[in-house]
């Protein structure tokens, strides 16, 4: 039996991503909808990176973090959305074995990078609000760059070993994944043999990363809110509450969805629920984040206005 499985597994050279099963007309509508969302996400995050780069007043750790976060969001949506858009117009919807696991790796690595960057951004706000006099000394440009680099490198080193072991599993027919992305749950379900050790390791890694980073974010914002109560100005308190509240809404939406998906990958969530939940944290939050974290910021808006004026003067 094992020889048969191995033989069949050797013939599995591609997977079929079912994506969203609906009529051709709805497929075209979804293609147009997600194409527009994709373009807006690229533009919004690209504008933030551009503004931080060209305006020297934004050359501070806070804005470097925001620009880095925007760059991450661009990387994140590019791991899934282009392939999803292609599937809307494709009849085959196939993805090669190698491409599937490459997508899996970069999708998860970018997601983990986001779970590392969000606590770093929250910690930066904690230092700026709770220790304003020491903030320039503590959060220097060099330290900020080193912390960002640690986030990226550590995130991209988390999953190579689990993914390698998943690629060594024997995959039998059918090779159909009822999702729009190569995700560990559906992939492990296609294996000919049970892999409880791999499932447990993936679940443990995800759980530890999610809970530790989420608790650190809550800790930072709790200290920030405690400091806000000491602000004598009602307007100052209102502004701080508005900023922290909007940040926490995005954090809660992102962490809430990934907790549903990855704390227990094979918890029996229906395929439709998995797709919707994955869409929220992989496509919706990258579109919302620029508005919440940057475009509502007065300094960023002033920088964009200045750039726009300079561009108009240059044209004249």
């Amino acid at each position: 039996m094992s020889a048969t499985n191995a033989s069949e597994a050797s013939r599995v050279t591609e997977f079929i991503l079912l994506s969203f099963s609906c009529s051709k007309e709805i497929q075209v509508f979804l293609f147009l909808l997600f194409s527009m969302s994709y373009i807006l996400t690229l533009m919004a995050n690209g504008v933030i990176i551009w503004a931080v780069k060209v305006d020297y007043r934004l050359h501070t750790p806070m804005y470097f973090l925001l620009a880095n976060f925007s760059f991450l969001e661009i990387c994140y949506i590019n791991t899934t959305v282009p392939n999803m858009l292609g599937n809307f117009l494709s009849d085959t919807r196939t993805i090669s074995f190698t491409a599937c696991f490459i997508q899996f790796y970069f999708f998860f690595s970018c997601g983990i990078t986001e779970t590392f960057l969000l606590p770093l951004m929250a910690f930066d706000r904690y230092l700026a609000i709770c220790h304003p006099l020491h903030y320039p000394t503590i959060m220097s440009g060099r330290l900020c760059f080193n912390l960002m680099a640690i986030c990226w490198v550590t995130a991209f080193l988390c999953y190579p070993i689990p993914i390698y072991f998943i690629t060594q599993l024997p995959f039998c027919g059918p090779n159909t994944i009822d999702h729009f992305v190569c995700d560990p749950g559906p992939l492990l379900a296609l294996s000919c043999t049970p892999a409880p050790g791999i499932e447990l390791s993936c679940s443990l890694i995800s759980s530890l990363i999610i809970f530790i980073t989420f608790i650190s974010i809550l800790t930072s914002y709790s200290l920030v809110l405690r400091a806000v109560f000491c602000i004598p100005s009602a307007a100052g308190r209102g502004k701080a509450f508005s900023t922290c509240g909007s940040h926490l809404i995005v954090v809660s939406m992102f962490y809430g969805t990934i907790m549903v998906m990855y704390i227990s990958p094979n918890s029996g969530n229906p395929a439709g629920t998995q797709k919707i939940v994955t869409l929220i944290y992989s496509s919706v939050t990258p579109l919302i984040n620029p508005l919440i974290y940057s475009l509502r910021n007065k300094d960023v808006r002033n920088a964009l206005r200045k750039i726009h004026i300079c561009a108009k003067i240059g044209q004249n």
Side-chain angles (χ1 to χ4, degrees), residues 15 97-105 163 166-167 171 182 187:
F15 295 102
F97 185 92
T98 302
C100 183
F101 282 95
I102 290 176
Q103 183 192 59
F104 178 8
Y105 172 67
I163 289 176
I166 295 175
T167 62
F171 289 96
C182 290
L187 277 171

Side-chain angles (χ1 to χ4, degrees), residues 269-285:
N269 294 320
T273 302
Q274 292 183 15
K275 295 174 190 177
I276 293 172
V277 171
T278 305
L279 266 179
I280 291 173
Y281 70 79
S282 66
S283 299
V284 177
T285 54

Side-chain angles (χ1 to χ4, degrees), residues 246-257:
S246 58
H247 288 191
L248 286 173
I249 288 172
V250 174
V251 167
S252 299
M253 185 166 63
F254 176 74
Y255 274 88
T257 51

Side-chain angles (χ1 to χ4, degrees), residues 12 26 39 56 110 112 122 149 179 259 294:
V12 175
I26 296 178
I39 293 170
Y56 73 92
C110 287
I112 294 171
H179 212 313
M259 283 179 183
S294 302

Side-chain angles (χ1 to χ4, degrees), residues 9-233:
S10 65
R11 293 198 296 269
V12 175
T13 59
E14 61 184 21
F15 295 102
I16 299 172
L17 290 172
L18 290 182
S19 192
F20 297 90
S21 300
C22 46
S23 65
K24 195 65 178 177
E25 292 76 13
I26 296 178
Q27 295 276 347
V28 173
F29 170 75
L30 290 175
F31 172 80
L32 295 174
L33 178 65
F34 286 112
S35 293
M36 186 179 301
S37 172
Y38 177 61
I39 293 170
L40 288 174
T41 303
L42 292 179
M43 289 177 61
N45 286 287
V47 162
I48 292 167
I49 296 171
W50 183 44
V52 173
K53 180 180 179 181
V54 301
D55 194 327
Y56 73 92
R57 292 173 300 179
L58 301 183
H59 291 181
T60 63
M62 172 184 172
Y63 294 108
F64 282 139
L65 286 170
L66 289 175
N68 190 260
F69 190 63
S70 291
F71 175 72
L72 170 63
E73 297 292 50
I74 291 174
C75 295
Y76 200 17
I77 62 169
N78 276 314
T79 62
T80 57
V81 175
N83 186 71
M84 180 178 68
L85 292 176
N87 282 344
F88 283 134
L89 304 179
S90 172
D91 293 325
T92 58
R93 302 182 182 181
T94 57
I95 183 170
S96 70
F97 185 92
T98 302
C100 183
F101 282 95
I102 290 176
Q103 183 192 59
F104 178 8
Y105 172 67
F106 282 100
F107 178 61
F108 259 67
S109 297
C110 287
I112 294 171
T113 305
E114 183 159 342
T115 65
F116 289 161
L117 281 179
L118 286 172
L120 178 57
M121 292 166 67
F123 178 68
D124 174 75
R125 291 301 81 208
Y126 158 74
L127 287 178
I129 294 173
C130 299
H131 302 283
L133 298 179
H134 300 288
Y135 175 74
T137 306
I138 299 174
M139 187 59 77
S140 63
R142 182 181 181 85
L143 177 63
C144 182
F145 176 81
N146 289 338
L147 290 174
M148 288 190 298
I150 290 171
C151 289
W152 281 87
V153 173
T154 305
F156 275 75
L157 291 177
C158 284
Y159 260 88
I161 294 176
I163 289 176
Y164 170 76
F165 283 113
I166 295 175
T167 62
Q168 302 308 302
L169 293 173
F171 289 96
C172 304
N175 59 342
T176 302
I177 300 174
D178 192 5
H179 212 313
F180 62 87
V181 63
C182 290
D183 210 48
L187 277 171
L188 289 170
L190 295 180
S191 174
C192 308
T193 58
I198 296 177
E199 292 178 18
L200 180 61
S201 63
C202 289
S203 184
L204 283 175
I205 292 173
S206 301
S207 300
L208 285 173
I209 292 172
I210 291 171
F211 279 122
I212 291 173
T213 56
F214 186 58
I215 289 171
S216 66
I217 291 173
L218 291 182
T219 301
S220 294
Y221 279 120
S222 296
L223 294 172
V224 167
L225 291 175
R226 188 179 70 175
V228 166
F229 282 115
C230 299
I231 298 176
S233 166

